[in-house]
Amino acid sequence: MRARTLSGVTVGMLALGGVASAQEPARSTPQITVEEVIVTATRRETNLMETAGAISVFGGQELEARGIINITRLDSLAPNLKVLDQQNQGMGAVQIAMRGIVNSSFIEIGDPNVGFHVDGVYMSRPQAALNLLFDAQRMEISRGPQGTLYGRNSTVGSINVVNNRPDTDEFGASGSLEYGRYDNRIVSGVINVPVIENVLALRASGFWQERDTYYNLHDDDLLTLPGGLTLEDSPYRQAFGNGTGKDGAGAIDQNAWRVSALLTPIDDLSLYASYEVFNNESPIAPSTVRGSEYTAYLSNPHVTDQKIESFRGELKYEIADAVELKGTFGDQTYNHQIMVDLDAGTSRYSPERVNPLPGDSLTFEQTFFDRDWTTDSTSYELVASSTYDSSVQWLAGYFNFKEDTFRDFWIDLPTNNSGIINFNQPSRKATSEAFFGRIDWKVTDSVKLAVGVRRTDDERTDTGVNRFSSFPEPGLIDAYGSPVFVAQAGATDLQFLCSQNLPVGPCAGVGALPGPVTGVNGVPLRVPGLNDGFAAAVGSPIGQVDAGIAAATAPGATVFNSAITTDAQLREISRILSNGEEVALVGAAGSFPRVFYTNQEFSYTDWSVSLDWSPRDGSLMYGTVSTGHKAGSQEIFYHPRLHQFINSILEPEELISYELGWKEQFENVGQGLNVSAALFYMDYKDKQQSVFVDGGDLFCADTFGDFNGDGFLENFVAGLGGVPIFASSAALVNSGDATLRPDVIGVDGQPSWELSAEQIQQAVANCSRGSTGTDEALADQPGMPNFLELMQINFGDATIAGLELEYAWNVTSRDRLSGFATLNFINEVKDPRPDALPFNLNDSLACSDRVGGCPNIMATDGNELPFAPDYTFRAVYEHDFPIGTNSLITAGIDFSYSGDYWLSVWNTDCYTSVRLGTEVCNNGDKQEAYELVDLRLRYTGPGGKFWLEGFATNVTGTKYATGSIRPSNEDSVTPYAFNAPRMYGVRTGFNFF
C-alpha cells in the first residue's frame, strides 16, 4: 500500500482525512505518515480518491473527537446529508435525508431510503440506526443509488459503519471520560487480548451515558379532562410518575457493549464474530413550538425501554490467490416500549384560544403508548470475487433477508370523544432475496469500465392485522388509561381486546380474562366487540346489511351471508380485496371482524454503469448511471366516509441517477490538497409518502357513502329512495330530536337513532361540504371526532439535481482546512397522483396535511422535496501548537451554513387565518437558513498515549426545526422537534494501541 507524508487532518472526509481508527496512534509531531483512506463501497477495498462515486469517510477517532456517539449527530457533517431525530412522533426512529430523498414513515412497514449497514450487515428498521457508535474504525457515507451492490432501500445512498476488529498481534486498551453541560457524563473503554498470537484474539468494548434534560418541563395546567378528573388521576402518572424532573423527557440514559472474536487459523482463512447489546431508557424529547423551543407542558410522562441485540459474523476464505469467498450473517432483535405525550401541551399556543368557535377543543390530550414493538430480522450474504491479477475482475453474490414484526400500541384520546384506539399487529413479515454481480474491466492503463446488475424479489405478508377502537360509551373516563389498568389486572392486551370478540384471527385461542378490568371510576372497561356491527364493505351504517342495499351499492360484489367466524373466511375476504374486487357483507355477515391477511410480491432490477479515466497519477474523472429501489408494501383499511374497504398497494420507489465526478490530489499545493466534486441529476419515480386520509367526522361517515361510484358522497335517502338514515348514539351527542331504534345496532355496538326529516336536511347541508371536488374543508359536526387513517401512498414523481464539492487541505505543516459546499439547482415535485388510492384523494386527504386552506394533492405540483437546502457550506480549520518534540495542542473551529428548506412535501409557509383575520407565519413547515459554530481545543501527550480536550458545540445557540407533526386543522398549532442547544464540556482519555 502506498503511503504519503502529509500533516494529518482530523476531518476525515477525503483521503487527507486523518486518523481512521482508534487503533492508530494519535499525532505526536506535526509531520507524520498517513495511509490512504480505504473504502469498500464497491465491495472491494479501494483507495477513496481512486474510487468512482461521491463518498465521505469519517475515522473512528474523528467520530469520537466530534462527539458523534450515534447517527443523529451526523447531521450536516457530509454534503447533502441530514440526519433527523424524529422520536417525538412516538416511533423512536431516526430519519436520514440524502440529496432530498427521505422516508416519511417510521411504522413497521415504513422503510428508509438510505441503507444502513454495520460491518456489512443490513439494518432494516429506522429505529436500529439509533444504536450507539463506539469503538468504530470508520464510517463510509456513499451518496447516489447503491441498489446494485447494497440492495433494498439503498435508494439514494448507504451508510456503512465498520467496527474495529480484534488484533491478533498485540495487547491494547483505551478509555475515555467526558463531562459536560446538563450533567452529561460519558464513560467508554476498549480492551484487546491476543489469545493465540497471529491466530486468535478477543476484543471487548463498552459505552455508558447519562445526561439531564435541557427542556423546561411543567405540568399541563390548562388541560381539562372529562368527568372532573385532574392530572393526578392519570393512571399513566400513577404508574410512571409525572415525568417533569431533570430525568424527564429529553434526558439521556443509555449504554451498550460489544464482544468480538477473530480467528485466523491459516493465512487464507478468517472468521469474525461479534455480539452487541444496546440499552436505552432515555425518555423521548417532547414536541414544542417556535418561540418556546425548549419548554414543554406534559400531562403524562415520557417512558422509553428500548433494547437491540445484534449478532454479526463473517467467514472469508481465499482460494489459491485467485478467488475470495465471503459469507456474512446477521441476526438482530429489536424491542421497545415507548410512551409519549404527543401534544406536550402545545394546544395552549393555538390560535383557537384567541378566537374560539363553537365546538373548538381548547385543550387536547393525546398519549401514544407503544406497548410492545418486537422485530426479529436475519440476513445472510454470499459473495465470490476474483483476486487474481487480470484486467478483468468480477464478483457475484446472493442476499437473503427475513423480518417479522409484532406490534401492539394504543392512542389514548380522552378529551375529544374518541376514547382509545388500539392497533394489534401479530405478524408483519418482509422477505427479500437477491442475486447480484459486477464486472470491472481495465480497458487501458487509464480507463476503467464497471457494469453491475441486481435482481430482487420482495414479499410482504400481514397475518391477523387489526384495529380495535374503544368508543366513548358508557363514559370517556372509563376508557382513559386502559393500557395501565389492563396491566394492573394481570391481563394481556389480547385477553382484554378479545374478551368480547369472535375467536378468530388474532383472537383464536386467546384465554379468558383473569377478572374484570376496571377503569378510573371502578367501572368495568369495555371494548366494542368485533361482532358489534362493524360497518360493512358496501356502505351500511348498521350491523345488519339489507340485501337490497348491497345490490344497489355493489351489484358486482361477492356476497357473504353467514357470520364471519373462521380464519378461512377472513382469508378469503382478504384474497378478494387483494385482487381489487368488491365484497358485500349481507345479514349476519355484517358482524365483520376487521382482521386481514394480506400478501403481496414485488420484483425489480437495479443496475449501474461506471466509466472512469485517470489522465495522470492523483487524478480521476468518472461518469456513472445507477438505479435504486425502495421496497413496496400493502395495506387494507376501512374508509367509513366512502363505506369501502380500500386495498392500497404501495409500489416500490425507483430512482435513476446520472453523475459526473472529478477527484484530484494536488501534492504541491501547500502540504497537499485533495478535492472531490460531483454533479448529479436524479429522476425519482413513485415517491412513497405518509398522509392522513380523512373520512370526515364519524357522524357524516355513518350517514353518507359513495353509492354511485363517482368519487363523491351521497346520503342514503338520495341514493336509495327513502331508506331511513341511522346514526350511532355517539355521533348524536350534540344532535336534537331523534328516534331511538334498539332493534338496529350501530357501528359502536350501541342502539342506533333514526333521524327526523329536519335532521336529515341539516345532515345533508353539513356533510356534503368538502365532497364536491372543491378545496373546501371537509364536513365537520361540532364536537364530533373525525376518522383519520395514516396511510402510505405513491405520491408522485420528482426531479433533483445539484453539485457537491469536498476538500481537505494541509495548508502548512501546522494548518489544515477542510469541508464542503453544495448547490441544489433543481428540486421539484412532478405529476402528483390523485389516483394514488381508489377514491377521490383530493377530497379525502386530511387537512392535517393541508394547512393553510387545505389544498388538494395536485397543489403540490412544483413543490420542493423536504430537507434539501439550495445551499450548504462547511469549513473546518485546525492549527497545531507543538509542545517540545512529543506533545501537541490543536485548536479547531467548525463553521457550517444551511440555506432554508422545507420540513414536508406540502411546503406550507405563511397563510391568512380565516379565524384570526391575520397572517400566521409560525405554523408552517419552512425552516429558515441558519449557521452553526463548534469549537475545540485538544492536548495530545507524548506518543499520543494521553489526551485532554475542551469543546463547545452550537456556540451561538442556534435553534432550528428538525421535524414537525402536522396539525389537525389550519389554525391548530404545529408541534416541532428542534436541535440541541449550546453544549460544552471536557473529554479525556488514554490510548495504548
Side-chain angles (χ1 to χ4, degrees):
M1 179 181 295
R2 279 192 304 122
R4 300 173 59 205
T5 302
L6 293 169
S7 177
V9 178
T10 59
V11 176
M13 294 182 184
L14 299 175
L16 289 182
V19 188
S21 168
Q23 294 174 298
E24 299 173 5
R27 290 192 311 275
S28 58
T29 63
Q31 200 79 5
I32 66 168
T33 297
V34 179
E35 292 185 337
E36 298 169 341
V37 172
I38 299 300
V39 296
T40 56
T42 62
R43 294 304 186 96
R44 297 177 183 273
E45 291 190 351
T46 59
N47 178 3
L48 171 63
M49 295 300 290
E50 297 174 359
T51 304
I55 308 167
S56 300
V57 181
F58 295 88
Q61 285 193 348
E62 166 67 5
L63 297 173
E64 181 182 40
R66 298 291 169 191
I68 300 173
I69 59 176
N70 63 33
I71 197 171
T72 62
R73 301 294 296 275
L74 282 176
D75 186 28
S76 302
L77 288 186
N80 271 320
L81 174 70
K82 295 198 71 65
V83 183
L84 311 153
D85 189 343
Q86 303 289 19
Q87 297 186 75
N88 69 319
Q89 297 195 26
M91 310 293 181
V94 65
Q95 189 177 32
I96 306 174
M98 189 177 286
R99 291 182 174 177
I101 308 298
V102 64
N103 62 305
S104 62
S105 174
F106 315 108
I107 64 175
E108 60 279 6
I109 61 172
D111 289 315
N113 293 86
V114 177
F116 187 67
H117 302 77
V118 178
D119 288 335
V121 176
Y122 173 59
M123 313 285 281
S124 59
R125 292 294 92 220
Q127 289 81 357
L130 286 170
N131 211 344
L132 292 171
L133 301 175
F134 63 103
D135 194 22
Q137 184 191 71
R138 68 180 186 274
M139 173 182 287
E140 302 177 11
I141 302 173
S142 300
R143 298 182 300 282
Q146 305 294 314
T148 303
L149 293 181
Y150 285 94
R152 70 194 310 266
N153 303 333
S154 296
T155 320
V156 69
S158 67
I159 297 176
N160 189 20
V161 177
V162 180
N163 290 317
N164 281 315
R165 297 193 174 189
D167 183 353
T168 60
D169 293 332
E170 297 181 359
F171 174 87
S174 67
S176 66
L177 300 172
E178 177 178 325
Y179 184 79
R181 192 181 186 191
Y182 301 107
D183 199 23
N184 184 42
R185 293 155 291 158
I186 296 178
V187 180
S188 65
V190 181
I191 186 170
N192 183 87
V193 180
V195 180
I196 303 175
E197 187 175 359
N198 298 322
V199 176
L200 175 65
L202 302 176
R203 188 180 185 99
S205 55
F207 182 98
W208 172 89
Q209 181 187 23
E210 285 189 1
R211 193 206 69 204
D212 295 345
T213 182
Y214 49 74
Y215 287 89
N216 299 311
L217 303 177
H218 308 277
D219 288 335
D220 188 358
D221 54 344
L222 296 183
L223 179 66
T224 302
L225 292 171
L229 298 179
T230 68
L231 289 181
E232 299 310 313
D233 296 308
S234 165
Y236 301 109
R237 285 184 166 231
Q238 293 173 6
F240 301 104
N242 62 14
T244 58
K246 64 181 182 179
D247 59 349
I252 292 178
D253 181 1
Q254 59 185 359
N255 65 81
W257 54 269
R258 182 189 312 123
V259 293
S260 59
L262 178 64
L263 176 65
T264 56
I266 58 177
D267 289 342
D268 296 326
L269 177 65
S270 68
L271 175 62
Y272 168 73
S274 70
Y275 176 70
E276 181 178 318
V277 176
F278 168 58
N279 297 292
N280 181 23
E281 296 183 5
S282 308
I284 289 173
S287 299
T288 56
V289 301
R290 287 176 171 144
S292 300
E293 290 84 356
Y294 305 122
T295 299
Y297 296 85
L298 302 181
S299 52
N300 285 312
H302 287 197
V303 178
T304 298
D305 185 2
Q306 184 181 55
K307 185 174 184 177
I308 305 175
E309 292 183 86
S310 304
F311 174 80
R312 308 180 189 100
E314 177 191 281
L315 177 64
K316 187 162 59 176
Y317 178 62
E318 188 171 7
I319 304 174
D321 294 327
V323 176
E324 180 185 87
L325 302 178
K326 180 179 177 181
T328 304
F329 175 80
D331 182 88
Q332 183 179 87
T333 297
Y334 173 89
N335 175 262
H336 81 217
Q337 182 181 81
I338 290 177
M339 184 164 67
V340 179
D341 184 347
L342 284 179
D343 62 285
T346 54
S347 61
R348 69 184 53 234
Y349 304 104
S350 173
E352 293 178 348
R353 289 189 167 275
V354 179
N355 185 18
L357 298 179
D360 280 347
S361 178
L362 301 184
T363 60
F364 182 70
E365 166 56 24
Q366 182 171 338
T367 297
F368 179 94
F369 197 3
D370 223 340
R371 298 291 308 282
D372 185 0
W373 178 324
T374 301
T375 296
D376 294 309
S377 62
T378 59
S379 66
Y380 63 88
E381 184 176 75
L382 305 174
V383 178
S385 59
S386 60
T387 58
Y388 50 79
D389 187 13
S390 172
S391 61
V392 177
Q393 299 291 330
W394 56 267
L395 69 81
Y398 170 76
F399 171 80
N400 188 285
F401 168 78
K402 295 179 180 179
E403 176 186 81
D404 192 0
T405 297
F406 168 86
R407 192 178 182 201
D408 182 31
F409 67 94
W410 308 66
I411 302 175
D412 200 336
L413 304 163
T415 60
N416 70 340
N417 294 351
S418 293
I420 283 182
I421 303 173
N422 174 257
F423 294 81
N424 183 270
Q425 294 156 175
S427 179
R428 311 195 86 168
K429 294 181 179 180
T431 62
S432 183
E433 186 178 53
F435 293 90
F436 60 93
R438 172 173 162 134
I439 295 177
D440 291 77
W441 176 28
K442 190 174 183 180
V443 183
T444 69
D445 288 342
S446 60
V447 177
K448 297 178 183 178
L449 175 67
V451 179
V453 66
R454 184 188 194 101
R455 179 64 176 178
T456 301
D457 295 309
D458 288 342
E459 183 177 21
R460 292 277 195 181
T461 304
D462 285 355
T463 301
V465 174
N466 63 96
R467 163 178 159 172
F468 300 83
S469 295
S470 179
F471 286 85
E473 296 87 6
L476 283 171
I477 56 177
D478 293 335
Y480 184 43
S482 289
V484 174
F485 295 116
V486 171
Q488 290 176 347
T492 66
D493 292 347
L494 272 182
Q495 283 178 314
F496 175 58
L497 295 170
C498 296
S499 61
Q500 300 173 61
N501 295 313
L502 298 171
V504 297
C507 292
V510 176
L513 281 173
V517 178
T518 57
V520 176
N521 290 348
V523 177
L525 292 174
R526 171 188 175 279
V527 292
L530 288 175
N531 56 347
D532 273 352
F534 199 93
V538 297
S540 173
I542 59 176
Q544 306 301 312
V545 182
D546 181 81
I549 296 177
T553 59
T558 300
V559 177
F560 287 79
N561 294 287
S562 58
I564 309 300
T565 59
T566 68
D567 279 356
Q569 291 172 306
L570 295 174
R571 291 179 184 274
E572 176 63 11
I573 292 173
S574 297
R575 183 193 66 78
I576 295 171
L577 292 170
S578 295
N579 291 335
E581 302 171 11
E582 291 184 294
V583 171
L585 305 175
V586 174
S591 302
F592 177 62
R594 185 183 170 178
V595 180
F596 292 105
Y597 300 83
T598 64
N599 178 268
Q600 195 70 36
E601 297 179 354
F602 304 93
S603 297
Y604 44 90
T605 301
D606 284 309
W607 53 270
S608 62
V609 178
S610 175
L611 181 67
D612 62 76
W613 174 45
S614 299
R616 57 187 173 277
D617 287 345
S619 181
L620 178 71
M621 298 180 183
Y622 67 86
T624 63
V625 183
S626 56
T627 69
H629 281 82
K630 179 177 174 178
S633 187
Q634 179 191 33
E635 288 184 277
I636 293 179
F637 77 102
Y638 176 73
H639 192 287
R641 183 179 172 95
L642 300 180
H643 296 278
Q644 297 176 5
F645 284 103
I646 304 300
N647 177 37
S648 176
I649 297 176
L650 192 69
E651 297 292 345
E653 290 182 353
E654 181 183 11
L655 183 71
I656 182 168
S657 174
Y658 307 86
E659 183 172 317
L660 297 175
W662 168 58
K663 297 184 177 184
E664 194 76 30
Q665 303 175 65
F666 300 96
E667 296 192 18
N668 298 319
V669 177
Q671 299 292 309
L673 169 65
N674 284 1
V675 177
S676 177
L679 177 69
F680 63 88
Y681 176 91
M682 302 192 302
D683 195 10
Y684 189 25
K685 300 290 186 183
D686 293 325
K687 170 180 169 53
Q688 297 176 8
Q689 176 70 37
S690 289
V691 299
F692 278 103
V693 178
D694 192 346
D697 68 30
L698 294 180
F699 173 80
C700 298
D702 284 347
T703 56
F704 287 83
D706 180 12
F707 302 116
N708 58 15
D710 63 358
F712 305 119
L713 303 183
E714 299 83 34
N715 65 72
F716 276 98
V717 174
L720 302 174
V723 177
I725 293 181
F726 296 93
S728 70
S729 53
L732 285 172
V733 172
N734 292 334
S735 296
D737 184 38
T739 302
L740 181 65
R741 290 287 300 272
D743 58 319
V744 180
I745 303 300
V747 296
D748 60 353
Q750 300 297 310
S752 290
W753 297 77
E754 184 174 346
L755 306 186
S756 66
E758 292 76 14
Q759 287 175 315
I760 292 175
Q761 183 178 8
Q762 185 61 49
V764 172
N766 288 347
C767 294
S768 61
R769 181 163 56 89
S771 63
T772 57
T774 69
D775 293 341
E776 190 177 16
L778 291 171
D780 189 31
Q781 281 285 109
M784 289 297 100
N786 279 29
F787 179 90
L788 295 176
E789 185 86 25
L790 180 63
M791 293 292 298
Q792 291 194 85
I793 64 172
N794 290 114
F795 188 84
D797 305 334
T799 300
I800 313 100
L803 176 66
E804 300 168 347
L805 173 70
E806 290 184 272
Y807 59 93
W809 185 19
N810 282 344
V811 184
T812 70
S813 60
R814 299 180 181 178
D815 299 276
R816 296 171 300 280
L817 181 65
S818 60
F820 63 79
T822 68
L823 168 65
N824 293 326
F825 44 84
I826 300 178
N827 177 8
E828 183 180 16
V829 174
K830 301 187 304 182
D831 303 324
R833 293 172 49 179
D835 62 341
L837 288 175
F839 55 85
N840 187 353
L841 190 61
N842 294 347
D843 298 331
S844 300
L845 195 64
C847 282
S848 58
D849 281 335
R850 301 184 296 176
V851 174
C854 296
N856 60 42
I857 191 173
M858 300 305 292
T860 62
D861 196 14
N863 280 6
E864 294 183 6
L865 292 171
F867 304 111
D870 289 342
Y871 311 96
T872 64
F873 173 78
R874 183 177 182 228
V876 181
Y877 172 73
E878 292 184 321
H879 179 80
D880 292 334
F881 299 90
I883 301 177
T885 58
N886 294 313
S887 300
L888 197 68
I889 289 180
T890 301
I893 180 171
D894 185 341
F895 173 84
S896 61
Y897 168 84
S898 171
D900 53 29
Y901 56 85
W902 299 101
L903 301 175
S904 79
V905 74
W906 306 104
N907 290 195
T908 302
D909 201 357
C910 299
Y911 64 92
T912 300
S913 170
V914 175
R915 182 187 303 270
L916 301 179
T918 59
E919 190 175 51
V920 176
C921 291
N922 67 341
N923 218 20
D925 58 4
K926 187 175 185 179
Q927 172 57 52
E928 300 296 338
Y930 59 87
E931 304 87 20
L932 293 172
V933 178
D934 297 344
L935 300 174
R936 59 192 292 257
L937 184 67
R938 183 184 181 100
Y939 167 78
T940 303
K945 301 301 183 183
F946 168 79
W947 55 270
L948 174 66
E949 178 178 277
F951 66 91
T953 60
N954 190 12
V955 175
T956 57
T958 298
K959 302 172 184 177
Y960 62 93
T962 62
S964 63
I965 301 176
R966 308 304 295 141
S968 59
N969 62 63
E970 71 170 80
D971 280 326
S972 293
V973 69
T974 299
Y976 298 92
F978 291 95
N979 67 309
R982 179 187 303 111
M983 296 290 188
Y984 48 80
V986 293
R987 304 184 183 107
T988 186
F990 64 90
N991 186 351
F992 289 96
F993 279 100

